């Protein structure tokens, strides 16, 4: 990761994209460790997590994570998924957060030195280019070590730096043999500054 000590840093996590990359690598991420690790690289100003949620369901598998992130200092941006029927008559859901990520990144550009984008979506190439033109460095976190790779080549090439999740996950993943957290531990507030 390119950067200097004291850089003002923000994390922008495309939740669905990061989940897909981590699952393809068979890695369980520890978001507390993740924010601590990037916080050591500079002054962590903000950490955003973007995800679409299914509304009206009694239980959503993403809800415990969203609640934990929100309670532990992440800015969680959600929107309801949209249901539609595809050309084959199959019911599908869609929850793209690209616009929300782009708007937040552009709005914060004057206040940051370095942005970390957790996504492999090639649609972000032009956004990264626009942010770089404003003097802010952009590091992209995804992976090339899956088949197919989780990152679009054009996004990887546009970024100032690329961190392969497969290589960095050891710094912020949960051990595979760790006992599952209890619900109380999952929602335990981290009161560290």
């Amino acid at each position: 990761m390119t950067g200097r000590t004291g850089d003002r840093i923000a994390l922008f996590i495309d939740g669905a994209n990061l989940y897909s990359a981590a699952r393809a690598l068979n890695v369980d991420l520890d978001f507390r460790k993740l924010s601590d690790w990037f916080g050591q690289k500079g002054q962590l100003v903000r950490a955003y997590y973007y995800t679409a949620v299914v509304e009206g369901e009694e239980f959503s598998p993403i809800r415990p994570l969203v609640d934990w992130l929100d309670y532990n200092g992440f800015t969680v941006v959600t929107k309801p998924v949209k249901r539609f029927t595809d050309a084959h008559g199959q019911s599908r859901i869609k929850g793209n957060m690209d616009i929300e990520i782009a708007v937040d990144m552009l709005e914060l550009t004057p206040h940051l030195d370095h942005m970390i984008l957790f996504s492999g979506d090639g649609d972000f190439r032009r956004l990264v280019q626009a942010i770089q033109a404003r003097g802010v460095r952009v590091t992209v976190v995804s992976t090339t070590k899956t088949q197919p790779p989780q990152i679009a080549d054009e996004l990887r090439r546009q970024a100032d730096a690329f961190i392969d999740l497969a290589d960095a996950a050891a710094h912020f993943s949960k051990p595979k043999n760790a006992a599952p957290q209890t619900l109380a531990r999952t929602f335990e507030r981290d009161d560290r500054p």
Side-chain angles (χ1 to χ4, degrees):
M1 183 170 106
T2 61
R4 300 177 299 268
T5 304
D7 274 358
R8 295 167 300 164
I9 298 172
L11 310 179
F12 298 88
I13 302 170
D14 178 345
N17 200 286
L18 179 60
Y19 173 78
S20 178
R23 189 178 70 195
L25 292 169
N26 196 27
V27 171
D28 290 326
L29 298 177
D30 183 323
F31 287 91
R32 180 175 293 139
K33 286 181 181 179
L34 184 143
S35 65
D36 288 347
W37 192 71
F38 282 98
Q40 294 170 4
K41 310 294 182 204
Q43 176 191 352
L44 185 59
V45 174
R46 189 88 71 235
Y48 289 91
Y49 185 90
Y50 301 85
T51 190
V53 294
V54 178
E55 292 187 338
E57 289 188 0
E58 200 167 305
F59 175 76
S60 168
I62 191 73
R63 182 53 60 193
L65 174 62
V66 167
D67 290 343
W68 185 92
L69 291 168
D70 189 44
Y71 196 67
N72 283 279
F74 283 76
T75 301
V76 178
V77 180
T78 63
K79 74 177 180 185
V81 297
K82 294 186 181 191
R83 296 183 185 278
F84 68 98
T85 305
D86 67 13
H88 303 289
Q90 298 291 324
S91 179
R92 304 275 185 206
I93 58 173
K94 180 179 177 180
N96 190 316
M97 300 295 292
D98 291 2
I99 295 299
E100 290 78 2
I101 294 169
V103 168
D104 288 344
M105 289 180 78
L106 286 170
E107 284 184 345
L108 281 173
T109 299
H111 309 288
L112 298 170
D113 303 303
H114 197 155
M115 295 183 179
I116 317 298
L117 173 62
F118 291 79
S119 183
D121 189 337
D123 291 342
F124 288 124
R125 189 209 60 79
R126 180 66 181 103
L127 170 65
V128 169
Q129 184 181 41
I131 290 166
Q132 291 167 328
R134 290 166 173 82
V136 176
R137 288 179 312 285
V138 180
T139 294
V140 173
V141 180
S142 188
T143 188
T144 60
K145 297 184 179 175
T146 58
Q147 280 303 327
Q150 296 288 314
I151 185 163
D153 191 55
E154 62 271 19
L155 178 61
R156 184 179 57 81
R157 291 174 186 270
Q158 184 66 50
D160 293 294
F162 170 68
I163 297 174
D164 199 302
L165 186 61
D167 299 331
H171 298 287
F172 44 80
S173 63
K174 297 175 188 174
K176 283 292 183 185
N177 58 358
Q181 292 180 333
T182 64
L183 190 57
R185 175 74 178 126
T186 301
F187 291 103
E188 180 179 301
R189 185 178 185 111
D190 183 4
D191 292 324
R192 292 177 286 166

